[in-house]
Amino acid sequence: MSVTLAFQYAALIVSAIFALLRLPLALKGRNPMLFWALALTAIGVGLSIPAIYLPVDALLGGVNYANLILRYAVYGVVLLIGSISAAAFRSAQARRLIVGRSGLVVLAVAVIVTSVLFFISDLPVSSPGLYGYPDEYTIHVYAVVGRIYPAYVAACLIAPAFRAAAHARRPVLLRLGSGLIGIALTEVVIWSILGATRLPIGVWDYILPHSAVIVLVAGLGAVAFYGIASKQREKQSLLTSGYIR
């Protein structure tokens, strides 16, 4: 197995496991957005793997609709995780920039332009990552546009993430999770910038986004675990105080 494929499968396994772990809590109404973010992450990562992409795309007609679904999944993941993270970091400004009017306009433009570029391109044969169409200009623009929205949301959250990680009065687990999320967001921005330059970055085009997924899921897991633990402590405190009274 190559290094790139190893990172892809690792990202798929990590995101799928965490999504399954969150499913029972989501069914109880406890932060279902986190479950859907992880589920969409697993779908997006899965469709980046040729062994999964090709049969799925064949079912859809073999003209790369699977890649368009991957793009939509990424946009959904970024929106959900951006909203969750902004709330966790207590950053009202980041939340406004992501789920406020300006953020939703950026998302809408990204979705519309992505869709238009896909449908005006000639993509007659399934190609994972559309790497089989290196000379088609619309596909290059399509790839660049696909990185703009993730980079935008990541850029809105990097400072709040590291600020939360450096906050000495916050619990260690929350600081650890915030730091991991900040690292993952930095990877996303770097990957987006490198992709826009058309530089031959080789395996890093796979390693950066998929390692970002692994680190991001670990960070979200740490933050979620802190939330669960704090609620458990709160319940125990309420039970104790009720018993004393």
Side-chain angles (χ1 to χ4, degrees), residues 37 40-41 72-84 98 107 149-154 157 188:
L40 286 173
T41 300
Y72 292 156
V74 169
Y75 293 156
V77 168
V78 171
L79 176 63
L80 291 172
I81 289 180
S83 177
I84 293 167
I98 295 168
L107 173 60
Y149 182 65
Y152 169 79
V153 173
L157 290 169
V188 170

Side-chain angles (χ1 to χ4, degrees), residues 86 88-95 155-170 174-175 178-179 182:
F89 303 147
R90 301 174 187 174
S91 176
Q93 182 180 11
R95 184 170 175 79
C156 291
L157 290 169
I158 287 175
F162 285 123
R163 190 161 54 241
H167 200 298
R169 293 186 178 181
R170 292 200 175 185
L174 187 58
R175 293 175 64 189
S178 300

